[in-house]
Every structure is written in C-alpha cells, then in structure tokens.
Amino acid sequence: MKRLIVYFVLIVFVLPEANAQLWKLKRYEAQGYLGTSQFFGDVGGYSIGDNLVGIKDFSFKQTRFSAGVFAKYRLQKEIKAKGGISFTFLHATDTKGSNENRGFESSTTVIEPMVMGEYYFLMSKAQSSYLFMRGRSSNLSFFWDQIDVYGTAGLGGAIYSVKPNDVLAARIKKDKGFAVTFPVGVGSNLILTPSMSVGVEFIVHFALTDYLDGYTSQYSARNDLFYTFNLCYSYKFSWSVRRRPNGVRF
C-alpha cells in the first residue's frame, strides 16, 4: 500500500513538474543553415506602384544563395536569444524589367552579424515528453507532436560590397559600406531527437540604406530589403556534466 501511495504522489506531483522543466536540460544550441536570397533594390524591378516588401518583383532568375551560423540560448520555455553571422549574395538587373533600356546590373556580397530573439507560439509536445527527452520510445506522432513554430526579430549590421556592370559603374554612387538591418521573420522546426532538429526559416531583412545595389534615384521611395529562405540544422546541448556514483559521465 505504501508503494502505491508513493507512485501516486510521483504521478500527480513530481512528473508534471519534471516535464515542465525539461527545456532546462539543454538550453544551448548551435545552428547552421543554407538558403536562398532575393533582393529588392533600385536596380531591376518589374512592378510600378505599390509593391508590399517587393513581393510583386519576385523572380527565380534573381535568386542567389545565403549561409550562416548561430549560437542560441533558451531564456524561457517559449523564448530563445541568438547571435550569429550570415553571408548573403544578392543580384539585381534591369533585364526584362520596367527599366530594361537603362541596362543596369549589380551583384552584392553582404556579411551580416545579427542578434535576435525567437518566440515560440507553437511548442512541440516532444519537448514536454520525459520519455522522448531521455531518448526512449513514446507515443508522439511524427509530424504534429514534434513541430515547433516561432516568430523571430532582431538587429543586424550589413557590411556590403557591390560589383556593378560597366553601365552602372558610370552612375554608381556607393559601392561598399555598412548599414543597420532589421531582420524579421518566421520559422518552424521538426524535432528529430532530444539533441537534433531540422527546420525552415523565412526572414525579411530591412536595411537602413538605399545603396545595397550601389544606386538610388529620385524615384526611390523606400530603402532596400532582401529575403532569405533557409534550411536549418540545429544541435542542442548542455554545458553541465553529470556523473553516476561510480564517476562515469552520462
């Protein structure tokens, strides 16, 4: 009877509290990603008039690549802080655009250190499952119970260098510099194991400059911006090392 009482107390009081604190087991996270980029500046462009964050001018021909690394720390169950650096390649051309006769074309390299926060408005059940976090079998469904969804925003700095074609080089006003950026976006993770996850992330990078393509004009109403769509891999870990009574790490 005493043993049954102990089990009951564990189930009612101890296990729910343990599950609620599982996120504290591995607060640290290393992340790397590869992705694509899409640039919206004063060179190129197909749409005249209102064009919300460049959506109307999306073109697969303008797509280039991005890569980055981040270190993350979970502050609270739903909140992470992260810092890192990204390398992004941008491209813009007047070919087949609304200014085709102008003939401008530019390629830009952007190195962007960033500090950001993540807020998880949908948390996977995997991170609240004691069995899963201990690497044991559980009744989690593969897709729905192991998916996180979050919003992210922060502050960055774009160190950029522009390579114009000959036509733009005669008109270029600034071919390199630094600009403050505001990266804002959404992402989702699929939790594979207690330590590993893969995911996707879509970020809009708002820049406080109009020279990421080296050119601005009297008709420019907004600063430049670019998108990145990233495929991410993350590894969670803890700095603490616990030992069994015999001194063996686990």
Side-chain angles (χ1 to χ4, degrees), residues 12 37 49 64 86 98 103-104 110 133 153 157 167 174 177 196 213 224:
V12 174
S37 65
R64 292 298 183 268
S86 70
S98 57
F104 292 169
V110 178
M133 294 301 288
V167 179
K174 192 174 183 180
M196 294 184 292
D213 51 13
D224 295 337

Side-chain angles (χ1 to χ4, degrees), residues 11-247:
I11 292 173
V12 174
F13 296 103
V14 179
L15 291 181
E17 178 63 21
N19 284 345
Q21 303 302 318
L22 286 177
W23 60 271
K24 292 183 178 181
L25 295 177
K26 295 183 178 181
R27 290 192 177 208
Y28 298 91
E29 186 174 342
Q31 182 188 69
Y33 71 80
L34 295 173
T36 62
S37 65
Q38 187 81 196
F39 177 52
F40 306 96
D42 292 290
V43 176
Y46 298 85
S47 305
I48 300 175
D50 292 337
N51 187 7
L52 179 65
V53 293
I55 291 175
K56 294 180 181 179
D57 286 338
F58 182 88
S59 169
F60 286 107
K61 291 183 178 180
Q62 304 287 30
T63 301
R64 292 298 183 268
F65 302 98
S66 67
V69 291
F70 277 90
K72 300 184 181 183
Y73 180 75
R74 189 181 289 273
L75 299 171
Q76 296 293 331
K77 185 177 181 181
E78 299 88 2
I79 301 174
K80 290 182 183 179
K82 66 180 182 180
I85 188 168
S86 70
F87 302 87
T88 305
F89 301 95
L90 308 175
H91 181 259
T93 178
D94 284 338
T95 302
K96 296 183 179 180
S98 57
N99 296 298
E100 186 169 11
N101 293 332
R102 192 172 56 179
F104 292 169
E105 184 174 1
S106 68
S107 297
T108 304
T109 303
V110 178
I111 301 173
E112 186 181 15
M114 290 176 278
V115 289
M116 302 179 72
E118 295 178 351
Y119 179 77
Y120 288 75
F121 49 86
L122 178 62
M123 295 286 294
S124 70
K125 293 181 181 179
Q127 299 193 63
S128 297
S129 168
Y130 184 83
L131 292 177
F132 182 86
M133 294 301 288
R134 289 301 183 184
R136 302 171 186 172
S137 60
S138 66
N139 61 352
L140 297 174
S141 70
F142 183 72
F143 290 104
W144 300 114
D145 291 344
Q146 293 173 226
I147 289 179
D148 290 331
V149 181
Y150 61 90
T152 183
L155 178 68
I159 304 166
Y160 63 93
S161 177
V162 183
K163 183 179 180 180
N165 67 352
D166 292 340
V167 179
L168 178 58
R171 298 280 302 277
I172 200 168
K173 299 181 179 180
K174 192 174 183 180
D175 64 356
K176 64 181 63 176
F178 173 86
V180 173
T181 59
F182 296 98
V184 179
V186 294
S188 179
N189 294 318
L190 174 63
I191 313 299
L192 300 176
T193 72
S195 298
M196 294 184 292
S197 63
V198 294
V200 295
E201 196 173 62
F202 175 75
I203 306 292
V204 181
H205 303 252
F206 297 92
L208 294 187
T209 183
D210 204 24
Y211 289 98
L212 289 184
D213 51 13
Y215 178 78
T216 188
S217 74
Q218 59 182 336
Y219 304 105
S220 178
R222 300 177 181 85
N223 288 326
D224 295 337
L225 62 88
F226 58 95
Y227 298 163
T228 54
F229 180 78
N230 308 315
L231 302 177
C232 310
Y233 171 81
S234 297
Y235 183 82
K236 301 179 182 68
F237 59 95
S238 174
W239 288 115
S240 63
V241 177
R242 291 174 294 166
R243 298 175 182 270
R244 293 189 176 96
N246 62 4

